[in-house]
Amino acid sequence: MVTVNEVLASKQFGLIHTNPDVIVKDAMNLMIEKHIHCLVVYENEKMCGIISDRDYAHKIVAKGLDPEQVKVGDVMTRNVITINRTASIADCMKIMSEHRFRHLPVAEGEDIVGMISMTDVMRVMMASADEDQEWQM
């Protein structure tokens, strides 16, 4: 089975992050610019949460708040579950499914070294299914 580390190695760029004092609009613009859907939030060089486009939809748009007036720290998800880089993609899928997550930060000790998305998991699972499938002509 493919490991988290193998998926991280295939990504085009490293971890993209922000801090809790950034306004939500700027965080969303960064996600758009980088073509990602989630940012790790750092404070004092440690992860203190994550913010995703889903947080934006549920905590800003749905409540009619102004993204230029709200800080990331006010709407980010705290107490984030992480996964170790040596874990399998099946382990990621289990955690994401049980907790209804679409993003899972990857930890190595106290450090966050990457992010696995549901899209990453699906790519691995689809590639695996393609390898297992016997195609008939």
Side-chain angles (χ1 to χ4, degrees):
M1 179 51 92
V2 176
T3 65
V4 169
N5 198 45
E6 291 172 285
V7 174
L8 288 182
S10 71
K11 289 194 171 227
Q12 292 181 353
F13 51 83
L15 187 66
I16 309 295
H17 58 87
T18 190
N19 71 63
D21 294 324
V22 168
I23 62 169
V24 170
K25 182 178 181 186
D26 289 345
M28 292 303 110
N29 285 336
L30 178 59
M31 284 188 236
I32 291 166
E33 175 189 326
K34 298 296 184 180
H35 305 284
I36 59 175
H37 300 275
C38 186
L39 296 169
V40 174
V41 183
Y42 277 100
E43 188 170 47
N44 300 323
E45 299 181 26
K46 293 215 181 248
M47 180 180 71
C48 60
I50 61 173
I51 185 165
S52 69
D53 52 5
R54 191 180 209 179
D55 291 324
Y56 177 75
H58 290 250
K59 298 174 182 177
I60 301 292
V61 175
K63 294 181 178 180
L65 299 177
D66 181 353
E68 292 186 28
Q69 301 298 316
V70 179
K71 292 184 178 182
V72 167
D74 297 330
V75 295
M76 69 184 182
T77 300
R78 299 175 186 272
N79 302 320
V80 178
I81 294 173
T82 62
I83 193 157
N84 190 284
R85 67 186 318 153
T86 60
S88 71
I89 290 301
D91 294 332
C92 282
M93 195 164 62
K94 182 176 189 244
I95 292 170
M96 288 174 155
S97 176
E98 287 176 359
H99 298 282
R100 301 184 67 188
F101 295 154
R102 294 186 305 157
H103 302 91
L104 196 55
V106 180
E108 184 171 45
E110 294 288 316
D111 298 324
I112 302 302
V113 296
M115 179 76 72
I116 295 290
S117 70
M118 185 56 77
T119 302
D120 297 326
V121 171
M122 292 307 297
R123 280 191 190 118
V124 170
M125 300 310 285
M126 290 171 66
S128 177
D130 284 347
E131 290 172 6
D132 292 342
Q133 181 68 39
E134 291 183 26
W135 297 99
Q136 294 181 357
M137 296 295 230

